[in-house]
Amino acid sequence: MESLEILAGLDAAVTELATPTRVYVAAGRFTEPSPDLPELAHRIRALLATVAADEAWRRFLPRYAPPSAAEICACLEPVETHEAAAFLARLAAVDLVWPDHRHLPVGAAERAADRVVSLLGRDGSWWANHDAACGAVNGLTPLFDSLLAGTDGEHFALALQIADD
């Protein structure tokens, strides 16, 4: 599949996962040669800045500045590719604070998440701000947040859910 086709597919699929003021997404193609985790962290930082600028969250984050790329890298834990689609679908569909509340129908979230993971391929790398071994979350904001970021080394896809109690 051509890079432009992958990019268009990623953009469409992550857009299906977004919900106003709760699930923020981004997809794109790296411009740097040989991008790695620091470049992905810069894209995550830009997404966090989008959340902080959103009128819905500005009052909760009055002096918030997104962490540096190095700090974001320190918060990230690897996610196995075979677990990425289920994680992404949960992130888009299930509320962090109220698990009985759905932001999206589960089936729609699963289809879009499967597509994102498929487009980044079996060799894609996935990262979350969760430590699956102990269940801890390395918060990127002062609120509740959950992030999944994936890359195939050329393209990236990000999804972030934010919530406040």
Side-chain angles (χ1 to χ4, degrees), residues 24-109:
Y24 295 80
V25 298
R29 183 175 180 198
F30 291 109
T31 55
E32 303 88 355
S34 304
D36 204 352
L37 194 55
E39 289 77 19
L40 185 62
H42 284 288
R43 299 321 190 278
I44 294 166
R45 190 171 198 278
L47 185 61
L48 291 168
T50 298
V51 172
D54 189 324
E55 186 68 35
W57 293 105
R58 199 174 310 156
R59 67 187 171 114
F60 295 105
L61 301 166
R63 290 175 290 287
Y64 172 75
S68 69
E71 291 168 323
I72 291 170
C73 286
C75 289
L76 299 178
E77 300 286 339
V79 173
E80 296 293 328
T81 300
H82 69 274
E83 297 170 349
F87 190 114
L88 185 55
R90 241 183 352 269
L91 186 150
V94 180
D95 190 84
L96 291 173
V97 178
W98 308 104
D100 290 339
H101 176 74
R102 298 291 180 262
H103 295 292
L104 293 174
V106 173

Side-chain angles (χ1 to χ4, degrees), residues 22 77 107 138 151:
R22 294 301 259 195
E77 300 286 339
N138 303 314
T151 181

